[in-house]
Amino acid sequence: MNIVVVGAGLAAANAVDELREQGHTGDIVVVGEEQYVPYERPPLSKGLLLGSDEPDSVFVHDREWYDERDVDLRVSTPATAIDLDRRRVRLGAEEVPYDRLLLATGAQPRHLPMADSSGAPVVHLRTLDEALTLRDRLTEGSRIAIIGAGWIGLEVASAARQRGAEVTVLESAPLPLQRVLGDELATVFADLHREHGVDLRLGVSVSGVEHDDGAAVVRLEDVEPVVADLLLVAVGVTPSDSLAAAGGLAVDNGVLVDARLRTSDPHVLAAGDVANHDHPALGGRVRVEHWDTAIQHGRHAARVMLGEDEPYTRLPYFFTDQYDLGMEYVGHPGPEGYDDLVVRGDLAARQGSVLWLRGDRVVAGMHLNDWDAIDPLRAVVGRPASDAVRDPKVPLAELG
């Protein structure tokens, strides 16, 4: 069986690893647009910016690893079309046949046309090259403005402040991460960044971006503009699903896949950021843009391509490190949100755990600086919200 993987990122690397571990001896071709072998993205906004991680540390495997496993890895090679009827992937003038195709094309950062056309120093953060460019600009006393107070925006703000830069974060919502965490937890992150000297401006509207003598001038409605040596636009990502759509696959905020990560074509699967997954444990569709999902999707898709028929049921998971705060989060409240919040510990001290409840079930859990809590959280998320779960005096470890 000939397998082609489009997208040379974390999901692709783990799919290849699993294929060979499971004994697949057929041809494997992996193609990716970037010049690098597959790498991990979390360090791009954390250790790499801080200088605690070297660029070489981000790669999942070195080039020799792929050669030793007889994987035809083609970097700087974008796929230009998919022919579902003939089972071919077009790479410019070349066509590569497949018996099974895995789409792991990831996502791309959203752009603001007003910033792109301004001529001002504007960056995004998605690729290794972008991270290296940004790292070089985070210097003592440099002025960094960030539009967007999501995970990437806040992690970069943390790294920039620790490197001695002056940081202004602009967010249209009343609180950072409000849609993801809710008001109480979002306030924790707002307080954290302000305590570390970030000029966090919430509920603001950006009306324009201009270039003035090498600086970015970010104009805001009804207040003075922000002048920065560098502007980071961190307003989320969109799934890279245009190749799939042009080939005739069903897409809607990503490539639509069933519980087993199979697309509308039985010979094609999708994994990672681009996959809009019909999650059986969550009871609906979810597209997850995090490190753990890319790893586990890639491995599960590999087993499905080899004949396994089990659905993918692992709960979404992510983590962040900002200043002295580390947290891990598991679950997904979905568009329905949550009804209640149960806090164990002291949020003001940033130590403890939180459970999000909807109806009679636990839909998500998170810990703050409690690294023994992730396993109990995994055990309780998705379960009924019993009296013990609702009682903050019952230790989390006793709920599993």
Side-chain angles (χ1 to χ4, degrees):
M1 182 168 61
N2 179 31
I3 293 175
V4 175
V5 182
V6 176
L10 187 59
N14 280 274
V16 167
D17 198 355
E18 188 72 13
L19 286 168
R20 290 306 192 215
E21 284 187 6
Q22 294 293 328
H24 176 63
T25 58
D27 291 345
I28 301 176
V29 179
V30 180
V31 299
E33 294 186 2
E34 290 189 62
Q35 62 177 309
Y36 303 108
V37 299
Y39 60 85
E40 299 192 347
R41 297 190 189 277
L44 305 189
S45 58
K46 300 179 178 72
L48 194 64
L49 293 188
L50 287 168
S52 57
D53 290 338
E54 293 300 322
D56 285 350
S57 69
V58 307
F59 298 112
V60 184
H61 305 294
D62 59 24
R63 183 64 190 238
E64 289 71 24
W65 184 94
Y66 298 92
D67 294 338
E68 290 167 359
R69 286 154 183 79
D70 196 24
V71 175
D72 183 1
L73 174 60
R74 308 187 191 184
V75 299
S76 302
T77 306
T80 54
I82 301 170
D83 187 329
L84 298 177
D85 293 331
R86 297 172 56 240
R87 295 189 210 167
R88 298 285 190 275
V89 176
R90 188 174 305 144
L91 312 175
E94 181 186 3
E95 288 190 336
V96 178
Y98 67 83
D99 296 306
R100 295 291 183 272
L101 171 64
L102 175 62
L103 297 177
T105 47
Q108 53 196 334
R110 289 192 178 97
H111 284 239
L112 295 178
M114 69 175 75
D116 290 343
S117 62
S118 67
V122 176
V123 295
H124 300 83
L125 181 54
R126 181 69 184 177
T127 68
L128 176 56
D129 285 339
E130 289 169 339
L132 294 174
T133 297
L134 182 56
R135 182 190 63 174
D136 292 343
R137 301 295 298 272
L138 301 185
T139 57
E140 185 79 30
S142 62
R143 301 169 299 175
I144 308 298
I146 301 171
I147 299 178
W151 295 115
I152 293 297
L154 294 186
E155 288 180 356
V156 173
S158 171
R161 285 298 299 140
Q162 292 176 79
R163 295 280 303 276
E166 300 175 10
V167 179
T168 302
V169 176
L170 307 170
E171 170 59 50
S172 60
L175 287 167
L177 303 169
Q178 184 179 36
R179 182 179 60 83
V180 179
L181 299 180
D183 289 0
E184 194 167 358
L185 267 296
T187 300
V188 171
F189 281 89
D191 293 344
L192 173 71
H193 281 269
R194 284 178 169 143
E195 288 172 14
H196 284 85
V198 173
D199 182 2
L200 180 62
R201 305 190 188 185
L202 303 171
V204 299
S205 179
V206 175
S207 58
V209 178
E210 299 173 3
H211 181 209
D212 183 17
D213 194 24
V217 180
V218 184
R219 300 208 172 273
L220 309 173
E221 292 184 1
D222 303 324
V223 294
E224 289 297 309
V226 173
V227 180
D229 301 308
L230 186 69
L231 171 62
L232 170 69
V233 175
V235 292
V237 300
T238 57
S240 299
D241 57 9
S242 58
L243 183 71
L249 294 171
V251 301
D252 183 6
N253 182 33
V255 181
L256 298 180
V257 296
D258 65 10
R260 292 160 180 80
L261 305 181
R262 299 175 302 203
T263 72
S264 53
D265 183 296
H267 302 99
V268 184
L269 292 86
D273 294 6
V274 77
N276 189 332
H277 176 219
D278 189 4
H279 200 297
L282 296 173
R285 289 201 166 275
V286 58
R287 190 178 63 80
V288 180
E289 300 164 359
H290 296 296
W291 167 84
D292 183 69
T293 297
I295 293 172
Q296 302 301 331
H297 266 196
R299 292 188 172 276
H300 193 88
R303 295 192 295 271
V304 171
M305 286 190 286
L306 296 179
E308 182 179 292
D309 196 41
E310 293 299 315
Y312 181 89
T313 59
R314 185 178 175 88
L315 293 170
Y317 161 90
F318 66 88
F319 71 97
T320 191
D321 296 303
Q322 299 174 34
Y323 311 106
D324 57 353
L325 171 62
M327 63 133 270
E328 294 176 287
Y329 180 105
V330 62
H332 185 71
E336 299 87 354
Y338 63 96
D339 306 321
D340 197 10
L341 197 68
V342 180
V343 177
R344 287 172 168 79
D346 186 352
L347 292 185
R350 301 177 191 127
Q351 184 76 38
S353 63
V354 182
L355 295 174
W356 284 264
L357 280 55
R358 182 174 66 243
D360 64 348
R361 301 195 72 78
V362 181
V363 294
M366 167 180 156
H367 78 75
L368 303 173
N369 290 328
D370 183 2
W371 300 102
D372 294 326
I374 189 60
D375 288 338
L377 286 171
R378 287 190 189 280
V380 75
V381 171
R383 287 177 41 186
S386 64
D387 290 342
V389 166
R390 296 178 182 275
D391 185 351
K393 296 179 181 178
V394 177
L396 182 65
E398 296 182 9
L399 302 180

